[in-house]
Amino acid sequence: MSGSDEITLRKLEIFLVFMRERNLARAAEALGLSSVSVHKAIHSLETAVGAPLFAHRGRALEPLASATVLEAHAADIIDGIQRSVDATRQAAGIAPRTFRIGSLYSLTIELVPQIITAIQASLPGCNIELVLGSNTDLEDKLAAGEIDASVMCVHDIDRRRSRRVIDLFEDEMYLTSPRDSAPVRTPVDLRDWAGQSFVMLSQEFSSGRDAYRMFQQAGVTPRVALRANDIFTLSSLVRGGVGLALLPGRISQLYPGALQFSRVKREQRVAQTLGLCYLASRAGDEAIMALETAAREATAAS
């Protein structure tokens, strides 16, 4: 490809920082370079690509649609190379430079910060990257090698021999409503709430699947007022009175005292098992062992 030898990782990194900052001076400060050096690198990259990336508005550079496309691809390229380096180091028996931990959004309230703090204390040189997503997303990323391990719901995942699954603690799904609403008589029979509006997560999320499972066990179809793409937004919608929800008890830590969690009837109840999952081939990895120890200690203390 003509000009490809002029497209370097360093130029792509400079380009990405500029796209993030949208200002030459701020990008230069973030990179520890001069504004002139940043401008030269961007101009050189533009020449190598063979297409305009920016419109000049006085002394400012305004990204064109082409720059947005290159930004997405450049991020993938740099991330892919880092994963390749990590895999190469791993094959040589050297721990990856970046340890990528996947997590459900709901576990970042308390558990995951405790785990990361413990790993940093035991492995001071470990560079940790936290990747958030749904259970489905995290399973896919783990299989693709895009994350090294994940703290997630493990009660409904396929426990293959190629990966290790360690149960950490159990949680339960509750009918969740605003604290200032009428007190709910327990145990709740979801059939009595069939006419109420509910806010729901998609079934990519374990809590979304479990909520639908509870309705199925009750033999009712929920009246869905709104769907959300993360559990924090869903909790805020319940708090704001948009609708009721079926949420795990750990969410009570998000808005202490703002929501009431009512237990449902035994035959409609769903329990979640939260745990740690990683590829079996990584069992002897120093960072994995530190993660496992930290996760066990954090859940034992709670």
Side-chain angles (χ1 to χ4, degrees):
M1 182 180 68
S2 177
S4 61
D5 56 338
E6 295 298 323
I7 301 176
T8 66
L9 286 177
R10 183 57 173 164
K11 290 176 185 176
L12 290 175
E13 287 173 343
I14 292 172
F15 166 75
L16 287 173
V17 172
F18 176 78
M19 289 294 289
R20 183 188 72 210
E21 299 294 339
R22 300 297 174 96
N23 179 277
L24 281 172
R26 288 198 300 269
E29 182 179 359
L31 290 160
L33 299 172
S34 67
S35 296
V36 173
S37 296
V38 173
H39 190 276
K40 282 183 177 179
I42 290 174
H43 179 68
S44 175
L45 181 62
E46 198 170 36
T47 301
V49 170
L53 300 174
F54 299 94
H56 291 262
R57 299 287 184 263
R59 301 176 68 178
L61 297 177
E62 183 177 312
L64 301 173
S66 54
T68 304
V69 171
L70 180 59
E71 180 183 20
H73 287 290
D76 288 342
I77 289 168
I78 291 174
D79 187 54
I81 289 176
Q82 183 61 64
R83 289 200 303 271
S84 299
V85 170
D86 287 347
T88 302
R89 289 169 60 87
Q90 180 186 334
I94 303 170
R97 292 177 180 173
T98 301
F99 186 48
R100 296 178 176 87
I101 303 173
S103 172
L104 300 177
Y105 292 91
S106 59
L107 297 176
T108 62
I109 301 172
E110 183 175 354
L111 178 63
V112 169
Q114 291 178 7
I115 291 173
I116 291 176
T117 300
I119 295 173
Q120 289 172 332
S122 61
L123 297 174
C126 185
N127 181 24
I128 299 172
E129 180 181 330
L130 183 61
V131 179
L132 302 178
S134 67
N135 235 67
T136 299
D137 188 37
L138 294 174
E139 281 195 75
D140 290 344
K141 281 181 164 55
L142 190 63
E146 295 177 12
I147 56 176
D148 300 292
S150 184
V151 189
M152 58 200 290
C153 285
V154 297
H155 57 286
D156 58 356
I157 70 171
D158 182 11
R159 302 198 178 210
R160 307 167 193 163
R161 293 180 61 186
S162 60
R163 61 189 182 192
R164 286 203 63 187
V165 178
I166 299 165
D167 296 350
L168 294 174
F169 69 98
E170 289 207 344
D171 201 354
E172 189 176 315
M173 298 285 289
Y174 294 82
L175 176 71
T176 310
S177 55
R179 174 61 69 182
D180 57 6
S181 61
V184 177
R185 182 180 298 177
T186 58
V188 170
D189 186 341
L190 291 177
R191 292 173 297 183
D192 297 336
W193 297 76
Q196 296 290 324
S197 294
F198 281 81
V199 288
M200 305 284 287
L201 284 172
S202 79
Q203 295 194 53
E204 286 187 0
F205 294 85
S206 275
S207 293
R209 290 196 297 271
D210 290 339
Y212 279 102
R213 190 177 300 152
M214 292 173 72
F215 282 117
Q216 287 175 348
Q217 290 172 179
V220 298
T221 301
R223 179 184 170 191
V224 181
L226 199 65
R227 288 182 172 83
N229 292 321
D230 69 85
I231 206 162
F232 293 157
T233 300
L234 195 73
S235 303
S236 296
L237 292 172
V238 175
R239 186 186 182 202
V242 176
L244 307 174
L246 296 175
L247 290 173
R250 60 186 177 275
I251 293 300
S252 63
Q253 303 167 36
L254 181 61
Y255 298 122
L259 300 173
Q260 58 174 318
F261 290 77
S262 307
R263 205 172 196 190
V264 303
K265 293 179 64 175
R266 183 180 299 277
E267 59 269 27
Q268 298 170 4
R269 203 173 292 165
V270 167
Q272 295 183 334
T273 301
L274 286 299
L276 180 62
C277 187
Y278 58 84
L279 297 181
S281 59
R282 298 288 303 280
D285 186 290
E286 182 182 36
I288 290 288
M289 290 190 291
L291 170 61
E292 185 172 336
T293 299
R296 289 185 186 277
E297 290 178 352
T299 49
S302 60

